[in-house]
Each structure stands twice: as C-alpha cells, then as structure tokens.
Amino acid sequence: MGTVKKDILIGILVAFFATFGGIFIYIEYFSRYSFDETLQMIADGNLYGKVLSIAAIPNLFVFFIFLKKNQDNRAKGVVLATILIAFTTLILKFF
C-alpha cells in the first residue's frame, strides 16, 4: 500500500473515530436524559440523521489540525469521510 493511500485511509479512520466520539459526547454530556434513554428517544423519533450531522462537527477540528501539520493527504481522508457522512445523513433524512 502506497504512502498516499495509507495517509488517506488514516484520515478516514480518524474522521470516523471523531464522529463516533462526537456522538458519544453529544449523548453523554448534552442530553438531559441517561445514555440509554437518549438512544431510545433518537430511535423513536427517527433522529439518526440529525444526530449524525451534529456529531460530524469534530471532523472540522481534525481537518484543520491535519492542515496545520502539513498532512494534506490525511486531510483529504477527513474530507472524504465527511462527504460519506453527509451522504449517509441525506439518505437517513429522505428514506
């Protein structure tokens, strides 16, 4: 595997990790209810797309950190993962 592909893959994985971390932080610290109750409310209200779009905000910080460190290929991976998350949000909203 070439170094460019490896860096892009690392960027994608870091972006997904940041998104899942954002979901955890949103549910754990910004919800008034317990973790299980919040998950149940998200499922009952079919709010997966909205929570996913809010949880993708940490990708912005990861993207700028990679740019600051001149790791452009990793930043490309973050952008690709964010586009995939946005497409997933679009699908969850309309289907």
Side-chain angles (χ1 to χ4, degrees):
M1 181 185 263
T3 183
V4 173
K5 290 181 183 179
K6 182 179 175 185
D7 283 344
I8 290 174
L9 181 64
I10 289 171
I12 290 171
L13 293 175
V14 168
F16 283 136
F17 182 73
T19 301
F20 289 123
I23 289 173
F24 177 77
I25 289 170
Y26 172 74
I27 290 174
E28 188 67 29
Y29 296 110
F30 292 109
S31 178
R32 297 181 195 147
Y33 305 102
S34 71
F35 194 83
D36 294 333
E37 290 174 348
T38 305
L39 287 178
Q40 186 63 37
M41 289 176 13
I42 291 169
D44 291 343
N46 199 16
L47 301 172
Y48 296 116
K50 294 178 182 182
V51 172
L52 188 60
S53 63
I54 290 171
I57 292 173
N59 288 347
L60 180 68
F61 301 112
V62 172
F63 175 75
F64 283 117
I65 288 171
F66 283 147
L67 284 182
K68 183 76 171 171
K69 292 183 173 184
N70 292 325
Q71 296 175 342
D72 295 335
N73 290 325
R74 291 183 183 188
K76 287 178 189 177
V78 172
V79 170
L80 287 173
T82 304
I83 290 170
L84 182 64
I85 291 167
F87 186 69
T88 304
T89 302
L90 181 72
I91 290 172
L92 289 173
K93 181 167 177 75
F94 291 113
F95 297 108

